[in-house]
Amino acid sequence: MLDNFIKISDLTQGEITSLINDARDFKHFSKQPSVENKTVCLMFFENSTRTKISFEMATQNLGIRVINFDNATSSINKGESLKETAENLYFIGIDALIIRTSDENLIENLLKQTSYPIKLINAGSGKTSHPSQALLDYFTMREKLGDVAGKKIAIVGDIEHSRVAKSNIALLNKFGANVFICAPEFFKPNVVPEGTIYTPDLKEAISNADVVMGLRIQRERIKETYSEKTYVDNYRLNSELLEMYAPDAILMHPGPVNRDVEITSELLDSPKGKTILEQAKNGVFARMAILNQLLGEERI
Ligand code: CP
């Protein structure tokens, strides 16, 4: 039973496996929800389509009530702290907060501050953590490849600003994948994550890869100047490159895609591009598994 869902490094291999097994069972209608009379609140301080709507879909599939927190009209705008907000919401009857924030420490700080057992779910924080995305990505890889141990996973693009990359690396390392990260110098992370191989050479990164995962250029987080044209000229994924260097690779991307920047339209709209939509679909089942495990026990 999970207490909270904040970052991949909090989870054991066994807990991740249990979650993706539940996601698989929900997808194939062979598991019944075990949550009753629960209410969650979606607290999104940053934009989202996939994560927000799929958490909402997941709650509704499980029979959980869902309430949207409207930051613009909330008392946070009158100076109330998030701790007080969360504690008041708990007493109003909210069992879990699903939070997206640009602040990578906000959710862990809230966990330390709050005196009441409201559950916290990270729906993407800063540039470091997006655990439900990593879970749905792993679920998708498991469906396509079976075990990821020893498989070559090439993650290409804006690694430095990507919480998706960081959470995927943390998860894939736990399961013995060979993770290559590929970026130009201006998107190379300040610290190359342990257990990954960095190369600026796209062909080397994707050569014979089992998975090629593109990343969105996180324009809203980039303060330095960089050349998008240089990126497109050297790192944009297209069908010809994949056919030549990684003909059997699965193409993944967390979305939203900057079309014709990270991936060409012709590749995105080809059969290879369909896995990206399957990732979005699998997000619902992965999030059902998270909510079901987090809220499956009686409220204290
Ligand atoms: N992948 C992802 O987090 O997408 P959204 O920003 O649309 O939620």
Side-chain angles (χ1 to χ4, degrees), residues 148-166:
V148 299
K151 299 276 177 9
K152 180 174 178 180
I153 318 285
I155 305 179
V156 178
D158 179 9
I159 312 277
E160 164 58 12
H161 304 96
S162 173
R163 54 194 175 210
V164 174
K166 315 282 174 26

Side-chain angles (χ1 to χ4, degrees), residues 47-52 100 123 130 133 163-164 254-256 287:
N47 294 351
S48 169
T49 296
R50 275 148 290 273
T51 310
K52 188 174 182 196
R100 170 166 286 195
H130 196 348
Q133 180 71 44
R163 54 194 175 210
V164 174
R287 289 168 179 132

Side-chain angles (χ1 to χ4, degrees), residues 44-240:
F44 276 59
F45 298 107
E46 273 194 338
N47 294 351
S48 169
T49 296
R50 275 148 290 273
T51 310
K52 188 174 182 196
I53 302 295
S54 72
F55 262 120
E56 190 158 355
M57 181 72 90
T59 57
Q60 296 195 6
N61 289 351
L62 294 168
I64 297 172
R65 282 184 299 264
V66 59
I67 294 175
N68 270 285
F69 178 84
D70 180 5
N71 185 38
T73 60
S74 79
S75 290
I76 285 182
N77 279 330
K78 294 193 277 190
E80 186 173 50
S81 71
L82 190 59
K83 165 186 154 61
E84 282 169 285
T85 302
E87 291 180 351
N88 278 273
L89 290 176
Y90 180 73
F91 275 82
I92 287 169
I94 299 294
D95 296 288
L97 296 176
I98 301 172
I99 302 174
R100 170 166 286 195
T101 168
S102 59
D103 179 343
E104 40 215 54
N105 299 313
L106 180 140
I107 301 172
E108 283 184 292
N109 286 342
L110 178 60
L111 181 66
K112 285 183 204 139
Q113 290 162 1
T114 184
S115 310
Y116 298 97
I118 191 163
K119 307 255 184 184
L120 302 180
I121 298 174
N122 184 347
S125 56
K127 56 182 192 176
T128 57
S129 193
H130 196 348
S132 67
Q133 180 71 44
L135 190 72
L136 77 90
D137 289 343
Y138 179 53
F139 176 37
T140 306
M141 288 179 211
R142 283 292 299 257
E143 281 190 329
K144 304 269 178 198
L145 301 172
D147 201 348
V148 299
K151 299 276 177 9
K152 180 174 178 180
I153 318 285
I155 305 179
V156 178
D158 179 9
I159 312 277
E160 164 58 12
H161 304 96
S162 173
R163 54 194 175 210
V164 174
K166 315 282 174 26
S167 285
N168 263 291
I169 290 165
L171 189 152
L172 292 166
N173 278 342
K174 281 183 190 284
F175 288 91
N178 293 328
V179 183
F180 282 64
I181 58 172
C182 177
E185 196 60 38
F186 47 85
F187 290 151
K188 180 184 172 187
N190 289 334
V191 178
V192 172
E194 210 176 311
T196 64
I197 297 166
Y198 166 74
T199 173
D201 181 341
L202 180 62
K203 290 167 187 163
E204 181 191 345
I206 69 171
S207 189
N208 297 316
D210 297 286
V211 175
V212 175
M213 181 185 290
L215 296 173
R216 184 173 71 86
I217 295 181
Q218 312 267 308
R219 290 168 177 149
E220 72 279 19
R221 283 186 232 292
I222 301 172
K223 295 187 180 68
E224 311 76 27
T225 46
Y226 72 98
S227 164
E228 205 153 283
K229 182 177 181 314
T230 305
Y231 183 85
V232 167
D233 288 348
N234 295 288
Y235 291 92
R236 181 171 62 177
L237 299 167
N238 61 49
S239 295
E240 199 184 340

